[in-house]
Amino acid sequence: MKITFFYLVLIATVFAQSIPYKSPPQAVIDVIDAPRPPVEFPSPDHQWLLIAQDNDIRSIEELARPFIKFAGLRVDPRSNSQVQSRFFAAPFLLRLVDGSRRPIQLPSAAKLGVPIWSNDSQFVALPFYTDTGVELWVVDSKTGIAKDMTGPIINATLILGYRQINRARSPLNLRWAPDNQHILAFRTLPGRGNPPTAALIPVGPTEMFTANNFSQERNWEDLSKTSFDHELFDYYCTSQLVEINVITGEQKRIGRPGIYSAAPEISPDGNYILIQRVKRPYSFWVRYREFGSSVEIWNRHGELIKILADLPSTDEVTPGKKRRNLTNLEWQAHKSATLVWIESGNADRKTANTSDKNQLMRLSAPFTGNNAVIARSSLGFDHLTWLDQEDCALITEVTGKRQWKISKTSVLNIAKPEQPARLLYQYADEDRDAHPGSIVERWTPKGERVAVQSGSWLYLAGDGGTPQGDNPFLDELNLETNEKRRLFLSSEGSYETFISFAGTSRNQIVISHETQILPRGFKLLDLTTRKTKPLVNSPHPYPLLRGITKQLITYTRDDGLPLSGMLYLPSTYRRGTRLPLVIWSYPTEYVDRRIAGQVRFAVNSFTSLRGGVLGDNGGEGGAASARLFATQGYAVLFMAEMPIVGKGKEQNETYLKQLVASAQAAIKKLDEMGIADPKRVGIAGHSYGGFSSANLLANSDLFAAGIARSGSHNRTMDPWGFHAESGTVWEAPELFLSVSPFFQADKIKAPLLLIHGEEDDSQASKTFQSYRMFHALRGLGSVSKLVLLPRENHAYSARESILHVSAEMIEWFDRYVKNKDSK
């Protein structure tokens, strides 16, 4: 009988699940279970902060709830929501004028999505996740009283879901109306019946046919595989738009049911709604967000006024023709009902220069005229920020590739398109030392997003990159003269960031405050007197580990490139002793050597030993951080810079050489400092960092052992490229082979621990990558171990999994790194 790869993985998975979860040392458990720092959500009028507890750890029981996959989604059928791995809890309101707190009356142990303030700051909408559905609660900021407005009927399938890592303004697909007493939200269809069931006996095979398609899509996970998956997509994702009166609780249907891929955007006069609707035919090769769609303008009663665009699926590629694409659709500020958007690939380009990358478009009510071209860009418009003056905006253009993007921000009067935009500033995105910061914005009572201004002055807040580490700031910039003045700079020895202005005054701001020994809290700062007032202080989450220290270390690679990393030392460290060393890294590609050598650390931030969700802290992929090794007597060089510098194919052709040279420089530096034992060094990383860890073991003898978590080890399985490859696997097969540790597995002599989530949805780092790597090492007689985590995604979120991963990593390095000489 032929055993397919699927069943081999299934057999391995079942075996792994029979092993009880492990627990690491108690010090590690204390760190993982410690409360997370508070998370803030400023009100639009800058009078309040809603502060909540960030909760990104689930129980394995929660994670084990059944879910279904289709159209690039993972849906919990019981709650009709996308699978979530991050929630907020225990919210309260903080009044900025006097620091008083107002509790919010919610059921205990409430699991909340991202809070959404009304535009006038009187109410806060709270998505409330229950076992049977998502409810919409509304809090009155004047009283703190919360009411369930809907029951468990909110359709939460088409939101950021389990990939939610940032505090976007409205990840749930709802919007406040300009009157601030109504919310537009999508609900599940009443009386929709039972979900479709798959036929027990197949009606026939699934067929796919291609001819002259040329669609080079990524290897997306969780795509629909059969027509039955399309039925599930229709059932769970079809919604009815409703208008909810938050005073009376009354609900009114608007328009017809459909699958809506974005929140309804209401015009400032409240009379029109911008709708983005998914349409058939659905695809088996792309996610729902790349399906065909219709961009429509409705009136407030749900009647179709105009189809702004009828867009095909991104999977439908016609050679020589650029697909039309509309982005950044929004209602213009200070206008009753004028739509503005960025458009590329429009077939009607008779008057456009062929070098134009995209164009800025506009259309006003009653939407009977033609779309007007406001401006064209050969670089590529990226986004708009509206100013206080009607028809004036900041327009940002972006050019270049991922490793070298130049952003240009200019002042544009869209009422006078014949006048050229005036350049305000420009910078390279990766250049932390020269980055001017981000424009501080506000929301008007009608829901318009505009820049915060004081006359001709606007405000920019940034990280403030310096050779000594991040030093956040708040600047004001004059729109007419380009004069810049610094209003706030993080104080020496602290890490402080601008959060919000306080009230209508521009003389008081709210800042977060932390030091290496004090966790994140909030203060009120008077910019005139420079006096501060504490608002929220947080206790040390693990006081018994205060003695663990961190420091920035800098060193130089053999090609002269300056590098850096954050060194963590255990509380028991005594100068002159040599410790086993763990290096954690996530290499990054750069074009410019100067930028590649910049420091990218918040040196004075709190000495956290806990990781974040994927996307925080260098792709740690969960709370099982490498920094936890500092509790076990190791030195930890966290986020050791390993830049890959070059243009075009030079990056990949020199990737291995630069990777090894960076690791050599780090070990040499810590050896010269008398801190690390160069014979007892372990390398570890997650995702691209895990891939690079395996490559370092295959191409150097620097390490006693390695850990590769959720890595991609065979790059030929992502044939269109992932990390800046020049060409496809068929155009550059030698390149794809040379950078794939799978094809160098015979050179790996040091023990390698492989860890992977069974439900990894990453396009490149699928679970079978680690399974196949282990299969190769096993056949080659190498020392290796594979740990497959039940129900886990690319980032690990169950407490049991995080504890187990921590235990496995510590056991592995204790055996093969710390106690290497005692074996």
Side-chain angles (χ1 to χ4, degrees):
M1 180 177 67
K2 181 179 179 181
I3 300 178
T4 66
F5 170 68
F6 171 80
Y7 289 107
L8 284 172
V9 173
L10 181 61
I11 292 169
T13 300
V14 171
F15 175 75
Q17 287 177 330
S18 65
I19 300 173
Y21 284 102
K22 297 179 181 179
S23 291
Q26 188 60 46
V28 174
I29 297 175
D30 292 342
V31 171
I32 291 171
D33 287 343
R36 298 283 276 145
V39 182
E40 77 288 347
F41 300 91
S43 64
D45 65 1
H46 306 299
Q47 300 287 350
W48 299 90
L49 288 184
L50 186 148
I51 296 178
Q53 181 67 50
D54 193 356
N55 183 8
D56 59 356
I57 294 185
R58 310 261 63 75
S59 70
I60 194 63
E61 181 181 4
E62 290 178 274
L63 213 63
R65 285 179 55 154
F67 63 84
I68 48 182
K69 307 176 185 179
F70 51 78
L73 294 165
R74 295 184 177 183
V75 170
D76 181 340
R78 290 171 57 186
S79 62
N80 212 100
S81 67
Q82 195 171 156
V83 175
Q84 288 268 107
S85 60
R86 185 181 188 181
F87 295 97
F88 299 97
F92 66 89
L93 293 167
L94 178 74
R95 188 174 175 84
L96 298 179
V97 66
D98 56 11
S100 62
R101 300 189 182 198
R102 181 162 294 165
I104 295 176
Q105 301 170 24
L106 287 168
S108 60
K111 297 192 300 184
L112 305 174
V114 176
I116 307 162
W117 281 95
S118 63
N119 305 308
D120 65 356
S121 303
Q122 180 176 348
F123 299 107
V124 185
L126 292 175
F128 192 115
Y129 286 77
T130 75
D131 288 342
T132 58
V134 179
E135 303 167 352
L136 183 61
W137 288 57
V138 171
V139 180
D140 189 332
S141 63
K142 294 179 180 179
T143 63
I145 296 175
K147 295 189 298 183
D148 176 10
M149 306 303 304
T150 63
I153 64 170
I154 296 297
N155 193 329
T157 53
L158 303 188
I159 60 172
L160 295 179
Y162 64 98
R163 281 292 197 179
Q164 176 188 311
I165 59 174
N166 296 313
R167 300 190 303 278
R169 181 173 186 261
S170 181
L172 196 67
N173 283 349
L174 63 84
R175 284 291 187 269
W176 284 92
D179 66 6
N180 294 297
Q181 292 187 1
H182 293 85
I183 293 177
L184 268 62
F186 294 117
R187 63 152 298 168
T188 55
L189 296 185
R192 62 179 174 173
N194 295 323
T197 56
L200 295 178
I201 301 176
V203 297
T206 298
E207 292 185 343
M208 298 181 188
F209 176 77
T210 187
N212 300 316
N213 181 274
F214 301 101
S215 175
Q216 299 179 0
E217 290 288 345
R218 297 292 306 278
N219 292 326
W220 301 114
E221 191 69 8
D222 305 333
L223 298 179
S224 296
K225 295 180 173 60
T226 68
S227 58
F228 175 68
D229 291 334
H230 291 340
E231 293 180 42
L232 292 174
F233 179 58
D234 278 332
Y235 179 84
Y236 286 104
C237 298
T238 299
S239 299
Q240 172 66 56
L241 180 61
V242 293
E243 180 182 86
I244 305 165
N245 186 315
V246 300
I247 307 299
T248 66
E250 179 187 0
Q251 295 184 22
K252 184 178 76 173
R253 297 185 185 184
I254 298 178
R256 62 193 186 280
I259 297 179
Y260 302 104
S261 58
E265 299 291 349
I266 313 170
S267 61
D269 64 6
N271 293 328
Y272 299 96
I273 307 171
L274 177 67
I275 290 290
Q276 297 184 54
R277 181 172 56 84
V278 177
K279 61 173 189 161
R280 283 181 174 270
Y282 305 147
S283 173
F284 294 109
W285 293 100
V286 294
R287 303 163 298 177
Y288 79 89
R289 66 191 71 177
E290 287 95 23
F291 287 179
S293 63
S294 178
V295 182
E296 302 171 356
I297 302 171
W298 294 2
N299 64 21
R300 191 64 178 269
H301 304 293
E303 298 166 336
L304 178 65
I305 301 299
K306 184 181 181 66
I307 296 178
L308 192 66
D310 193 9
L311 305 174
S313 167
T314 61
D315 189 36
E316 299 176 19
V317 178
T318 302
K321 186 174 182 180
K322 192 174 181 181
R323 176 183 180 270
R324 187 184 180 196
N325 189 37
L326 277 65
T327 61
N328 296 81
L329 293 117
E330 58 182 298
W331 296 103
Q332 181 177 339
H334 316 305
K335 296 287 188 182
S336 297
T338 295
L339 271 175
V340 177
W341 68 94
I342 296 168
E343 182 166 339
S344 61
N346 193 342
D348 184 17
R349 296 171 62 91
K350 296 178 182 178
T351 61
N353 190 309
T354 55
S355 64
D356 290 341
K357 188 171 183 180
N358 61 21
Q359 49 200 359
L360 186 64
M361 309 291 294
R362 180 171 60 172
L363 183 65
S364 298
F367 312 109
T368 54
N370 295 324
N371 302 341
V373 178
I374 301 171
R376 295 185 173 92
S377 174
S378 59
L379 303 179
F381 292 126
D382 186 71
H383 65 273
L384 278 169
T385 303
W386 300 107
L387 298 173
D388 281 345
Q389 184 180 351
E390 186 175 352
D391 286 323
C392 287
L394 302 179
I395 182 73
T396 298
E397 299 172 273
V398 176
T399 184
K401 297 184 178 180
R402 179 169 57 89
Q403 304 90 7
W404 184 246
K405 286 186 177 180
I406 300 295
S407 292
K408 293 176 57 177
T409 297
S410 305
V411 182
L412 175 70
N413 187 332
I414 66 174
K416 299 178 180 179
E418 70 280 1
Q419 294 183 357
R422 181 174 60 82
L423 180 65
L424 194 61
Y425 53 80
Q426 67 178 20
Y427 58 92
D429 278 5
E430 294 288 344
D431 191 348
R432 293 179 70 85
D433 293 0
H435 200 293
S438 301
I439 299 293
V440 179
E441 297 177 340
R442 65 184 177 90
W443 298 89
T444 73
K446 291 184 178 181
E448 304 155 307
R449 178 182 55 86
V450 299
V452 174
Q453 286 182 244
S454 295
S456 59
W457 295 88
L458 52 79
Y459 302 88
L460 299 99
D463 293 329
T466 75
Q468 293 75 42
D470 288 355
N471 202 18
F473 63 86
L474 175 69
D475 285 348
E476 59 179 353
L477 175 67
N478 193 291
L479 286 165
E480 298 174 357
T481 66
N482 285 32
E483 179 188 355
K484 184 180 287 187
R485 298 192 298 226
R486 180 136 296 174
L487 301 177
F488 158 74
L489 185 67
S490 180
S491 57
E492 185 176 354
S494 301
Y495 182 71
E496 298 170 326
T497 63
F498 169 81
I499 300 298
S500 168
F501 286 101
T504 57
S505 170
R506 298 293 176 255
N507 294 323
Q508 286 191 322
I509 62 174
V510 180
I511 61 172
S512 68
H513 173 86
E514 59 189 289
T515 68
Q516 289 196 12
I517 60 173
L518 292 175
R520 189 170 189 259
F522 302 101
K523 291 183 176 182
L524 190 65
L525 170 65
D526 190 302
L527 295 176
T528 302
T529 65
R530 316 310 295 183
K531 292 182 178 179
T532 61
K533 175 182 178 181
L535 295 173
V536 175
N537 292 319
S538 302
H540 199 293
Y542 21 88
L544 296 180
L545 299 175
R546 285 177 183 267
I548 293 176
T549 62
K550 71 174 183 179
Q551 66 182 94
L552 175 71
I553 65 165
T554 57
Y555 46 99
T556 304
R557 203 164 71 180
D558 60 9
D559 60 358
L561 185 69
L563 303 176
S564 57
M566 192 66 75
L567 177 65
Y568 289 75
L569 293 175
S571 56
T572 56
Y573 176 70
R574 296 294 177 266
R575 190 171 181 177
T577 60
R578 290 186 178 269
L579 302 175
L581 171 65
V582 174
I583 296 179
W584 180 275
S585 184
Y586 190 95
T588 306
E589 295 90 357
Y590 300 94
V591 173
D592 187 282
R593 283 177 58 87
R594 177 185 62 84
I595 293 177
Q598 291 179 348
V599 174
R600 292 173 176 80
F601 297 99
V603 179
N604 294 317
S605 63
F606 177 65
T607 306
S608 173
L609 302 176
R610 192 175 181 276
V613 291
L614 189 68
D616 298 340
N617 303 310
E620 286 192 84
S625 171
R627 289 170 287 186
L628 293 170
F629 279 102
T631 70
Q632 304 302 305
Y634 290 80
V636 179
L637 187 60
F638 184 70
M639 289 311 298
E641 292 284 357
M642 296 188 181
I644 311 301
V645 187
K647 295 182 179 180
K649 63 180 181 179
E650 179 187 0
Q651 287 182 350
N652 279 280
E653 289 177 346
T654 61
Y655 160 75
L656 292 174
K657 179 181 178 181
Q658 294 190 61
L659 186 70
V660 173
S662 296
Q664 285 176 325
I667 296 171
K668 179 182 178 182
K669 173 67 175 181
L670 292 172
D671 182 18
E672 292 173 347
M673 292 175 67
I675 291 174
D677 178 353
K679 294 182 179 179
R680 295 188 295 158
V681 182
I683 182 69
H686 187 92
S687 191
Y688 191 57
F691 156 83
S692 296
S693 295
N695 258 322
L696 281 167
L697 294 189
N699 292 277
S700 76
D701 58 358
L702 298 170
F703 300 99
I707 299 172
R709 293 181 1 194
S710 300
S712 176
H713 305 294
N714 183 350
R715 294 277 280 278
T716 68
M717 301 307 295
D718 199 30
W720 310 121
F722 180 54
H723 265 265
E725 293 90 347
S726 297
T728 69
V729 68
W730 298 279
E731 295 167 330
E734 298 83 5
L735 170 63
F736 278 76
L737 293 174
S738 65
V739 300
S740 298
F742 177 82
F743 295 103
Q744 315 294 326
D746 59 326
K747 299 178 183 178
I748 296 178
K749 305 305 179 184
L752 176 60
L753 171 63
L754 298 158
I755 301 175
H756 220 117
E758 287 184 359
E759 299 287 350
D760 196 327
D761 75 338
S762 171
Q763 302 97 311
S765 304
K766 300 183 189 300
T767 306
F768 71 77
Q769 289 273 2
S770 288
Y771 181 85
R772 283 303 191 195
M773 188 68 175
F774 176 74
H775 189 242
L777 293 170
R778 181 175 180 271
L780 291 164
S782 303
V783 178
S784 184
K785 183 176 184 178
L786 173 64
V787 177
L788 297 175
L789 302 171
R791 310 296 290 186
E792 291 291 357
N793 203 318
H794 195 60
Y796 318 142
S797 60
R799 179 178 182 272
E800 291 84 351
S801 301
I802 294 166
L803 294 176
H804 187 90
V805 168
S806 301
E808 291 282 5
M809 293 197 307
I810 291 169
E811 287 179 7
W812 193 257
F813 276 175
D814 276 358
R815 181 176 182 182
Y816 295 110
V817 176
K818 179 190 284 188
N819 300 313
K820 177 183 177 183
D821 295 334
S822 63
K823 290 190 298 181

